[in-house]
Amino acid sequence: MKYDTVIQGGVVVTPGGRVRADVGIHGEKIAAVGTNLTRDANVGRIIDAKGHYVLPGMLDVHVHLALPFCGTVSSDDYYSGTRAAARGGVTTLIDFAIPYEGDSLAKAANNWFEKAEDKALIDYTFHICITRWDEHQGEIGSLVDSGFTTFKEFMIYAAEGWQSDDRAMFGTLELMREYGAMLLVHAESSRVLDELIDRHHTPELMEELGAQLHAMTRPNFIEAEAIQRAITWSEATHGQLYIVHMSTAEGADMVKAAQARGVPVLAETCAQYLVLDDSVFAEKDGHLYACCPQVKKPADQKRLWHGLKTGEVSVVSTDTCTFTRQQKAMWNGDWTKIPMGMPGLETLLPIVYTHGVLKKRLTLEEMCQRLSTDPARIMGLYPKKGAIRVGSDADLAIIHPRNRIKVDPSKMETNADWSPYEGWSLAGFSRTTLSRGEVIVDDYEVVGQAGRGKWLPRKTAGLRQ
Ligand SMILES: [Zn+2]
């Protein structure tokens, strides 16, 4: 046998469970998982993984890089964003291509290709955002034919020109069923949300409550009502639905109930909803934590962890949308002007490993399922991505089970000059990351070249092919 690389002596997490084994790599693919692979073999490079876990590369399927939003542009682009990802053991990301003023869906996809080309260190693709149903619906079939199988609609953001109404969601879900594609939905109830924001938007309240108004104007029912409505349209059309960044216990309950009666709905949550609660908005610089939807209550965290364990929550992503302190300062005391979003790619795996696996909320295998295998399957990338098995891409993250690193933005790859987890001591940063057989992080430092990441065409989406 000939292997370009053998990862030797680690505890390898495979779809069948963990096993002490070597991983043999030939070209860009995993060629063998077994013991003593270096014996009688022609081996190019041996990577010592003794005392470490060898995990499938993680997928972050909800990311916004270089996104024009809230009057500015998110500050992690495909250069810094994919370097941050690699350091966190993420080897595939999915961004959202959003059409601007009169753009077609194809134009939006091209705009995002231009952002990624020459800069991406890891593999990537895009969800295509439908922002003007009447204009965009006729293009969906040709986008599916060209390798895009996931679409997105926003139930809010009228001011950004992105909002879809019930008619658009209903019609899109009918087409998702026809094409075997999947609709991702940002579920918040826009009319009542706008009413609550109007009622609270007074100089007196802003003076008194500051960034806490961000949470006070988005009570849980704002998300719950919208999730319920989206589920209704999925149930009526049998179109596959995926709730992005679900932050509430109510959402998890409704998704679970809908799945039990056969509705093709799936849900993702984000790392921040699992470990932060809305008491952060009362802190000094609490406005930094504004993201959309915002972090909720400890009871919601608990329910979302439970959902990851039992399956009604299939995926953890980050909704990375980085804004620096200077960008966040645009709020100037008015919470409706805070650029909404947080850095997250670099800390996804460390947060879920430290607060999930080490705190015994998830097993190591369950974590790999929710961060790698399930997102790969749901997004139409399995088995190329999402598993350590013969024939899959050699995308791997090698982590130490216990060694912790203190989160310090000045030492990270992200362009953010702050972190929601600043000062937290986290295990699970990637010692070695491989992407298609190539070492891109070595001894916790990024060593791979910008522009080596490839676009990933897809043929399917969802769990019901
Ligand atoms: Zn998002």
Side-chain angles (χ1 to χ4, degrees), residues 62 64 96 152 245 319:
H62 190 149
H64 304 277
F96 294 80
K152 160 99 177 269
H245 53 48
D319 199 3

Side-chain angles (χ1 to χ4, degrees), residues 62-64 96 152 154 157 186 244-245 268 292 319-321:
H62 190 149
V63 173
H64 304 277
F96 294 80
K152 160 99 177 269
F154 300 90
Y157 295 138
H186 176 139
V244 298
H245 53 48
E268 105 191 337
C292 184
D319 199 3
T320 290
C321 192

Side-chain angles (χ1 to χ4, degrees), residues 404-454:
R404 290 175 182 247
I405 294 177
K406 194 170 267 190
V407 175
D408 175 355
S410 71
K411 295 182 180 147
M412 293 167 82
E413 293 291 341
T414 171
N415 283 337
D417 51 0
W418 69 284
S419 166
Y421 317 113
E422 200 159 332
W424 293 27
S425 181
L426 300 177
F429 283 99
S430 188
R431 186 206 72 179
T432 314
T433 307
L434 288 93
S435 165
R436 283 180 281 104
E438 184 182 338
V439 174
I440 59 170
V441 170
D442 186 17
D443 196 19
Y444 301 97
E445 299 286 334
V446 175
V447 296
Q449 290 303 308
R452 62 166 300 287
K454 287 185 182 164

Side-chain angles (χ1 to χ4, degrees), residues 331-411:
W331 87 303
N332 206 15
D334 178 348
W335 90 97
T336 66
K337 297 195 167 65
I338 312 174
M340 290 187 288
M342 304 200 285
L345 272 162
E346 203 157 349
T347 46
L348 170 63
L349 170 58
I351 286 285
V352 180
Y353 180 73
T354 306
H355 290 268
V357 177
L358 293 184
K359 292 195 174 168
K360 303 204 182 309
R361 290 164 162 142
L362 298 175
T363 66
L364 184 65
E365 288 84 351
E366 286 165 344
M367 181 194 76
C368 291
Q369 189 84 27
R370 301 300 182 220
L371 290 181
S372 183
T373 311
D374 281 351
R377 288 177 69 206
I378 290 166
M379 297 303 166
L381 292 166
Y382 191 87
K384 180 177 172 60
K385 305 295 189 188
I388 300 181
R389 61 191 281 290
V390 173
S392 294
D393 281 359
D395 287 8
L396 304 166
I398 303 176
I399 67 167
H400 192 279
R402 292 173 309 280
N403 284 359
R404 290 175 182 247
I405 294 177
K406 194 170 267 190
V407 175
D408 175 355
S410 71
K411 295 182 180 147

